[in-house]
Amino acid sequence: MLFHQEGLGAATEHGFAFGPCVVAPTSRGQVGLRSPRPDAAPRIVHNYLTTEEDRDCIVAGIRIALEIAEQRAVADIATGRFGDTPASGSDADLLDWAKRSGQTLFHPTSSCAIGRVVDPELRVLDIAGLRVVDASVLPAVPRGNTNAPTVMAAEKAADLIKGIHRVAGAGR
Ligand SMILES: Cc1cc2nc3c(=O)[nH]c(=O)nc-3n(C[C@H](O)[C@H](O)[C@H](O)COP(=O)(O)OP(=O)(O)OC[C@H]3O[C@@H](n4cnc5c(N)ncnc54)[C@H](O)[C@@H]3O)c2cc1C
């Protein structure tokens, strides 16, 4: 099926999509406070594709996708490109397109990472009585989907809060 508008838009045509992803990004964003008011929206700066490694990675991924699309088995059934596509196969146009049309895949994590903002028991460093338990504590964005690791962290946090220290493999 077509995957466009971050998967939230209804497909208007039959089709297929490729999804090259930078699954281990080296670019780093930031979440900060905009004001002392607790109800103020935070300032979120993603900084996507700010490292050469990430830019090279996405350009290589898009190039592979285009090469697959040009193979006869695919090209024979394709009627054309859908929507906004790279202007050409040059590195500059592929990168320009990635910057313009790239999507998050809804997997932001790690703004309160273990080791930087919270300790391994998810307690905020230097603030007594406060833990963070959500996707933001993951030390790095996982290569796969983020829901299961977030649930795993939450299960572990529930044990820590209740004072249960499980030993790996015990009780099997
Ligand atoms: C459209 C979309 C599709 C996704 N698809 C997948 C998928 O297929 N597979 C996958 O693994 N992951 C997927 N994800 C990612 C996954 O949903 C998230 O990584 C995960 O939910 C993060 O969990 P969390 O607990 O950190 O945050 P959330 O699940 O966002 O939970 C935050 C909670 O806090 C509540 N909240 C916010 N503000 C306040 C407040 N002031 N007071 C009280 N409560 C508040 C919110 O209502 C919400 O319930 C998707 C995400 C999106 C947005």
Side-chain angles (χ1 to χ4, degrees), residues 8 105-108 133-136 145-148 150:
L8 301 177
L105 279 181
F106 311 115
H107 289 176
V133 183
D134 61 17
S136 67
N145 281 337
T146 42
N147 192 59
T150 307

Side-chain angles (χ1 to χ4, degrees), residues 21-25 57 141-144:
C21 298
V22 182
V23 293
C57 178
V141 62
R143 287 168 174 260

